[in-house]
Amino acid sequence: MTVDDSLSAEEIKGKLEKFAGLSFDRVGMIFRVEMIALKNSSGDPGKFAEAASILGESGHPLILISSDPAAMEAALGKAASGKPLIYAADENNWEKMAEIAKSNSCPLVVKAKGMEALGELTKKVKGAGIADIILDTEPGSLHDALTDQIQIRRQALKKNNRTFGYPAITFCGDDDVEMQIA
């Protein structure tokens, strides 16, 4: 489930209520959504922190989505105890995001367009002392996402390239099916 920080506290709590009762029966197996993603769409660190506080109280794992280190620090001030996934370090903010992830003992997504750029950025983040890394190649389509996932696994397993020996995350769309972790 994805929540936008521009929603009011009541709207966020309403989404949480719907989320709590959401389950699917598929051939006798019950599936539930288990993670909540919070987007910093407002650009306001205060709103992001307030929404993170509300969602952090739910007890569900969180993904905090913001490219703004100040907003990320504000949100982690309210929800760091749950060890949320920080999304994401990129070429422009990786040093500050790595510092934030390290000081809060949270996992960090490293994102870059393409395998080569992702590999280089992952090396920098690992060199900054981050061990809990998740990779994102920022694919442009579902086809690219599948191709990238295959290449990440191939590099890690067949080529023994430890730079790609981390889990990967892929955003499939903006509003419906949000993300898959492989």
Side-chain angles (χ1 to χ4, degrees):
M1 176 177 87
T2 301
V3 176
D4 192 303
D5 72 342
S6 62
L7 298 174
S8 70
E10 293 78 32
E11 290 171 314
I12 292 172
K13 289 176 184 174
K15 278 192 165 239
L16 274 174
E17 285 178 27
K18 287 181 184 177
F19 173 73
L22 185 63
S23 66
F24 305 94
D25 184 345
R26 176 81 174 127
V27 193
M29 294 177 64
I30 304 296
F31 293 93
R32 289 180 177 76
V33 178
E34 296 181 4
M35 186 174 262
I36 301 170
L38 174 62
K39 288 184 182 179
N40 181 222
S41 299
S42 70
D44 181 350
K47 283 187 172 188
F48 194 49
E50 181 183 340
S53 176
I54 293 167
L55 294 173
E57 292 172 6
S58 74
H60 295 289
L62 295 177
I63 300 175
L64 299 176
I65 303 172
S66 180
S67 59
D68 178 11
M72 193 60 72
E73 281 184 307
L76 286 168
K78 302 288 186 174
S81 64
K83 304 296 179 211
L85 176 60
I86 297 173
Y87 186 91
D90 59 30
E91 191 58 44
N92 298 318
N93 68 7
W94 74 268
E95 290 172 295
K96 187 66 177 163
M97 289 297 210
E99 179 183 308
I100 292 167
K102 190 173 183 177
S103 66
N104 289 282
S105 301
C106 291
L108 177 64
V109 174
V110 176
K111 69 176 183 173
K113 273 275 191 217
M115 295 292 290
E116 187 175 327
L118 182 62
E120 291 301 316
L121 190 54
T122 301
K123 287 177 189 174
K124 290 177 185 177
V125 170
K126 175 128 176 93
I130 305 301
D132 292 330
I133 296 172
I134 296 177
L135 307 174
D136 181 4
T137 58
E138 297 186 282
S141 68
L142 285 175
H143 177 268
D144 292 344
L146 179 60
T147 302
D148 290 349
Q149 294 299 311
I150 291 168
Q151 287 303 316
I152 286 171
R153 292 298 153 248
R154 200 172 270 162
Q155 286 291 317
L157 297 172
K158 291 198 177 233
K159 304 286 185 184
N160 203 23
N161 185 341
R162 304 309 301 159
T163 304
F164 295 104
Y166 298 99
I169 190 168
T170 298
F171 282 79
C172 297
D174 287 336
D175 297 319
D176 298 323
V177 177
E178 279 298 327
M179 54 189 75
Q180 304 291 321
I181 295 184

